[in-house]
Amino acid sequence: MGRSRKLGLVALALALSCVGSLAVAQRHTAGYAWADPDWRFTHHDRPIKVVLLAGSIGASPNRPYPRLLHEWCENVEVRNLSQVGHGAPQLASRFRSEVLENPNVPIRAPGTEVWLMFGGGMNSVGAPHRTNRAIRRTFELAHRRGVRVVSLSLTPWGDDGDDDERWEGGRALHALKATRNVVGFQLGRLSPAEALGQFARERSNPGQGWSDAERPDVVVDLYDSPLRDRDAEPWPLDDVRRKIERDARWRASVSELSDAEREARLEADARLMASAPRWFLRREYRGFDHIHPNPAGHQVIAETICPRLPESWGCRCP
């Protein structure tokens, strides 16, 4: 992909960010509003207060999934604190400063439930253990303060290598493994050591399984959902093997293995990487790139989330 085209996509993303910020501010009466440290909920007839934290997918200006959920769930007021470019650590900081430290958020108020809907992590997925660490801390802090949590897994993403250098050659193996690690943590399929790596020792109960405070109250799998191109043609296995063997990161990771162990690892990694196209976002749901869903993709996201939400939210799912 040429440098000029990459710069064009960056400019488009930034333009969408600005448009999104304006559109969100204009939707104040619909409960979908840009925020500052002193923002407040405004729909007093809706007792379920939901704060969404996500990156640019959540910040999309064109009928995004939080807007749809606000419309479908009659007891819910959604406030969108999503921010283009924010990874899980930045979203964690935003949760503390704009939710927990905001005196206008009615946490523990009688007759009111406050929920965090967390849909972030894509912007920091290249560092999966650090991403999981920030998400875990956010969940734990939310529960400690009386905020319940809905966790949305990462959505399918990826490219054949021409438009995103993270999917070029053997790098695709790291991108796929990192994504699956974050998704595995979000869905509760990994142990603390697997999900957090060296950060597992920071937990108050190292060596033990996840506590209730570290896990969401509701979890939604958007990765293995209708968004995923499950019928895509896999990459040719022989081509994938050659790409992996040429990758410096992979060679370093197997440098201490025996020849037999290295060959077994190569075979397993090649089969995993060959399957990557089946974990990409379906083309009919792509927006301006392979990461950001279009309005039809946001409709699918909302339809996947809606049935998983608590009955108290009063959702009428399509």
Side-chain angles (χ1 to χ4, degrees), residues 216-259:
D217 300 277
V218 177
V219 63
V220 182
D221 186 357
L222 297 176
Y223 191 59
D224 189 6
S225 73
L227 295 170
R228 170 191 161 199
D229 194 1
R230 63 181 66 248
D231 297 321
E233 189 70 22
W235 286 332
L237 200 56
D238 289 341
D239 290 348
V240 168
R241 285 195 190 94
R242 286 192 290 270
K243 290 177 179 178
I244 291 176
E245 287 182 303
R246 291 196 296 265
D247 184 71
R249 177 183 292 189
W250 186 85
R251 292 199 304 270
S253 71
V254 299
S255 61
E256 297 183 3
L257 299 182
S258 67
D259 290 345

Side-chain angles (χ1 to χ4, degrees), residues 136 192-207:
R136 184 199 72 82
E194 292 170 324
L196 301 173
Q198 63 178 334
F199 301 118
R201 61 175 176 263
E202 296 177 350
R203 301 170 64 240
S204 60
N205 53 348

Side-chain angles (χ1 to χ4, degrees), residues 68 83 92 110 228 308:
L68 296 173
Q83 176 62 54
R228 170 191 161 199
R308 300 283 300 158

